[in-house]
Amino acid sequence: MKILIADDDALSRRLLEKTLERAGYEVTAVENGKQALEQLCKLDGPRLALLDWVMPELDGPSVCRAVRTRSEQTYVYMVLLTSKGSKEETVLGLESGADDYLTKPFNAEELRARLRVGERILLLEDRLVEARENMRFRATHDPLTSLLNRGAVMDLLARELHRAHREKKSTAILLGDVDHFKRVNDTMGHVVGDEVLIEIANRLLGAVRSYDFVGRYGGEEFIVVLNNCDPNFAPARAEAIRRSISNRAILSAKGSLPLTMSFGVLLSGEWGLRSVEEMLHEVDIALYEAKAAGRDCLRIAKPPAKAEPPPSPLPESVRLRH
């Protein structure tokens, strides 16, 4: 594990460095508080730190306070080192954000024991972060395909539609359905059906850019959102996504399965600012049109044409002449 030593006394710094290297740590040693803060704020910086109380630039408590203000940073376990041993100093050091406190001169074995405590706390912190991320992933992703689930897609799409409208750009929404998927489940079984859905999810992800997003809308329906999509190229991009499914059979445990998908497509720039529900309703209608047209194709949702205004009535003098 990486550990930082910050001490302006060269002899003390060197002795600590040797002690910790023998204990198996990867040591970074600096001589003032400013350098310590720079090291601790790096993305791959040390997670353990021994900070002398009195240092140039920034003292130990100031370094602790500065590190604790960086909420996005992974947790750093910090130990203050000082020759002062009063209760008031101890309280002040701990309130600054330090995790532990050692009075000089200290015993090397005691130092190693306290650092092992720090390592256990960091391990627990990492496990908590991992558990939280796993819970967040499960709440926003489909358990079978690992794509975004319907709720997460709706949320992201609402933000994207507002952004596109504000910036006068267009977002393409594709709603796709696997053709004759019920036949796969009925003849091959649900295990093969799951294999098919997973492979389709992977192909859809592979057919879009890193800043587009793909979700499982429900059952065998998938939604693809193409951000900042030029309306002139959107149909060709949608067609390429459709072909990524139909051009190559899907290999399953029971053999090769040629499958196709039908898509409804909507370009948000043609519809103005509407709710997500309205947009999805319109693209769903386009999907049904693709199904009715024989499947394995796409249809683009078009807003209704504006009605022509009625002709203005002729003046009375003109009507009388007729």
Side-chain angles (χ1 to χ4, degrees), residues 122-141:
L122 291 176
L123 179 60
L124 288 172
E125 168 75 12
D126 290 344
R127 286 177 177 171
L128 285 172
V129 170
E130 183 180 1
R132 185 176 67 240
E133 291 304 313
N134 285 338
M135 289 176 63
R136 182 180 295 139
F137 186 88
R138 287 196 296 270
T140 57
H141 288 73

Side-chain angles (χ1 to χ4, degrees), residues 137-142 147-154 215-217:
F137 186 88
R138 287 196 296 270
T140 57
H141 288 73
D142 173 58
L147 294 178
L148 294 167
N149 61 27
R150 183 169 179 154
V153 164
M154 297 277 279
R216 187 177 179 191
Y217 195 63

Side-chain angles (χ1 to χ4, degrees), residues 157 161 171 173 175 265-285 301:
L157 181 55
L161 290 174
T171 297
I173 306 171
L175 187 61
V265 183
L266 181 145
L267 307 177
S268 69
E270 297 178 351
W271 290 80
L273 184 60
R274 301 199 182 194
S275 69
V276 173
E277 291 77 15
E278 288 179 281
M279 294 290 200
L280 290 176
H281 174 71
E282 297 296 340
V283 77
D284 193 42
I285 292 173

